[in-house]
Amino acid sequence: MRPVGAVREPPLQMSYRLTMPAIRKVLIANRSEIALRVVRACAEIGIESVAVYSEADRTSLHVRAADEAYCIGPPPSSESYLRIDKIIETAQRAGADAIHPGYGFLAENAGFADAVQGAGLTWIGPPPEAMRLLGDKLAARKVAQSAGVPVVPGTDVEMDRPEEAATAAEKIGYPVLVKASAGGGGKGMRVVRAREELEAALRTARSEAQSAFGSGVVYLEKYLDKVRHVEIQLIGDQHGNVIHLGERECSIQRRHQKLIEESPSVAVDEKLRARMGEVAVAAAKASGYYSAGTVEFLLDRDKNFYFLEVNARLQVEHPVTEMVTGIDLVIEQLRVAGGRKLSVKQSDVKMRGHAIECRITAEDPFNNFAPSLGEITTVAEPSGPGVRVDSSIYRGGRVPIYYDPMLAKLIVWAPTRAHAILRMRRALEEYRLVGVHTVVPFHIRVMDSLDFQRGNLDTGFVADFLGRAIFKEEGREEAEHIAGIAAALVTDRKRQAGTSAAAPGQGTNGATRESNWRREGRKAGLR
Ligand code: ADP
């Protein structure tokens, strides 16, 4: 993706100083939308990009977009995207001087960061020592506590004996959560409501964590009900500057995995933002942190917040922060990895408007979110004012079984939250994808729900929401009907009738016409 007719001297008003970067060529040790995201950032600031890919990703968008691309092995990630030796060897062969890990795969593997640096390459991420300290939840709790950050009540040590765990649980008070210290992606976590469930929960959490993370260390936390997940985005440089870029609300989760994120949070005012930001920065400074990172908290109704963990990497949901702050997190990562100072100070950070992200995964919301594999035969993605699509989708692309089911992220920005919801609703309706099921109908229904519109969110939202009738069989019929006919008929019918292809009373993605979002839109005075 070489800039065509590149301007030699950037105009002075550009927010990034596009001086010759310290890094010249970056290998991206990842796939899908995040690899493409990093390729784009590199292209904008004149850094060359090197993609790596497995045999299953030969025709992927990130492979086509990068300046160079190398196959690193067969489809299973253990034989390709997790092969530290292959990746470093490829970087050296391609003459790259730095490696960006994206998120997932090797992004939080301090051993990988060490190996990258050991090979004389620049690691685009936090220092490996900070990753080690914060990558382990138990260790991170200690760092947070010693930096004066409030943590969820729990044990500060591993709980490996059931009797010891029972005594600790009694003291904390049920319900408790058994949590894997090395955990991530909601794995290795079990809610325990009574003593008799404890032993089995310890056993299953431990074995799940052992097989997923290679460590079966578990501990206990108080299980907090009716709380929001609110996290603070940080960015720091190697000159001791660490700033925060406000919060993201990520309470819309299924099985502890985020589905929808937004910024700002309706529950956070200026004062709370400043306090949360301050403690997050303190925790980062206590571990010698730089690059992008996120401190996750649970926030209760009384505005008490509790430290959960630090994600020592770029996160999936980083675009909502970029949209409201105007700061490009990947460009900042590239700058600071090359030893430059942050391009902004804390006092420069202003949040403007509202951004929402919906994760578009190949899962069937009408069948308990079962993975949906296959070939994408038709695709048209949304666009228009305030819409950003970070996507790996293309016609003829296959959704392989080997990787995460996330295909794209649909992000919208608007001056107000009400408008952002309407805009997201509109953009979701524009999404045309045939060949696999996606969670688009789920997102449309969330945008339609009055609780979402009113900002009545907590981490139990999705479980409550899915229990309702809208996700029963009649919904599926509607959605399948739409998916099946939409792509083929929309253009044709429009031409013939001069109207939408949908049946009367339906939107093209299976929603009723007179829905909450339209009503709320009227109330919000948007039309
Ligand atoms: P992971 O690293 O697996 O993502 P986290 O610690 O970030 O795990 O937690 C993921 C989600 O699990 C949180 O956003 C929240 O919904 C839930 N969770 C974690 N700890 C607690 C707790 N102590 N009480 C209630 N919910 C929790």
Side-chain angles (χ1 to χ4, degrees), residues 76-118:
S77 35
S78 58
E79 296 173 48
S80 49
Y81 297 106
L82 293 173
R83 282 287 299 271
I84 294 178
D85 53 344
K86 274 263 174 79
I87 291 169
I88 290 179
E89 187 192 301
T90 307
Q92 286 170 329
R93 180 149 63 99
D97 49 14
I99 294 189
H100 194 302
Y103 53 70
F105 294 125
L106 296 167
E108 289 184 276
N109 184 325
F112 180 49
D114 278 337
V116 169
Q117 292 182 341

Side-chain angles (χ1 to χ4, degrees), residues 60-249:
S60 296
L61 295 183
H62 78 282
V63 175
R64 292 186 243 171
D67 293 307
E68 292 168 36
Y70 298 86
C71 183
I72 50 166
S77 35
S78 58
E79 296 173 48
S80 49
Y81 297 106
L82 293 173
R83 282 287 299 271
I84 294 178
D85 53 344
K86 274 263 174 79
I87 291 169
I88 290 179
E89 187 192 301
T90 307
Q92 286 170 329
R93 180 149 63 99
D97 49 14
I99 294 189
H100 194 302
Y103 53 70
F105 294 125
L106 296 167
E108 289 184 276
N109 184 325
F112 180 49
D114 278 337
V116 169
Q117 292 182 341
L121 303 166
T122 299
W123 168 247
I124 303 171
E129 311 80 62
M131 291 170 70
R132 273 200 184 87
L133 206 57
L134 300 171
D136 179 272
K137 290 185 204 225
L138 266 175
R141 269 173 74 85
K142 289 199 190 101
V143 173
Q145 278 171 303
S146 59
V149 181
V151 300
V152 182
T155 65
D156 292 327
V157 289
E158 175 179 4
M159 287 289 118
D160 54 354
R161 287 183 300 116
E163 317 79 61
E164 189 190 11
T167 313
E170 225 46 76
K171 219 168 119 202
I172 296 167
Y174 288 99
V176 296
L177 192 61
V178 178
K179 254 176 132 166
S181 194
K187 287 205 192 89
M189 236 188 269
R190 288 289 178 287
V191 182
V192 180
R193 304 210 173 259
R195 166 72 179 92
E196 52 276 18
E197 297 167 14
L198 185 62
E199 244 175 280
L202 282 170
R203 229 184 1 258
T204 49
R206 205 181 290 136
S207 73
E208 193 174 302
Q210 182 67 45
S211 65
F213 315 109
S215 155
V217 174
V218 295
Y219 67 105
L220 299 184
E221 265 181 16
K222 171 85 185 158
Y223 182 72
L224 301 176
D225 244 336
K226 303 285 169 208
V227 286
R228 291 167 183 267
H229 174 118
V230 175
E231 58 187 34
I232 299 285
Q233 176 68 53
L234 297 176
I235 180 87
D237 62 25
Q238 302 188 46
H239 304 274
N241 304 304
V242 182
I243 62 171
H244 76 85
L245 305 183
E247 79 284 2
R248 292 184 288 259
E249 157 109 40

Side-chain angles (χ1 to χ4, degrees), residues 3 6-19 41 43-46 326-328 331-332 335 343-344:
V7 180
R8 255 170 226 278
E9 280 190 86
L12 289 174
Q13 69 268 27
M14 285 184 85
S15 52
Y16 292 101
R17 264 171 188 276
L18 305 184
T19 48
E44 284 174 22
I45 58 169
I327 294 166
D328 187 308
I331 292 182
E332 290 299 331
R335 285 176 58 90
S343 72
V344 280

Side-chain angles (χ1 to χ4, degrees), residues 17-83:
R17 264 171 188 276
L18 305 184
T19 48
M20 256 319 270
I23 294 170
R24 291 173 304 100
K25 195 171 188 179
V26 172
L27 178 141
I28 300 136
N30 215 303
R31 62 183 295 278
S32 190
E33 67 86 19
I34 192 61
L36 183 55
R37 166 76 189 87
V38 179
V39 168
R40 285 178 167 147
C42 289
E44 284 174 22
I45 58 169
I47 293 177
E48 286 184 82
S49 55
V50 180
V52 291
Y53 60 94
S54 77
E55 285 159 13
D57 284 339
R58 206 169 278 283
T59 55
S60 296
L61 295 183
H62 78 282
V63 175
R64 292 186 243 171
D67 293 307
E68 292 168 36
Y70 298 86
C71 183
I72 50 166
S77 35
S78 58
E79 296 173 48
S80 49
Y81 297 106
L82 293 173
R83 282 287 299 271

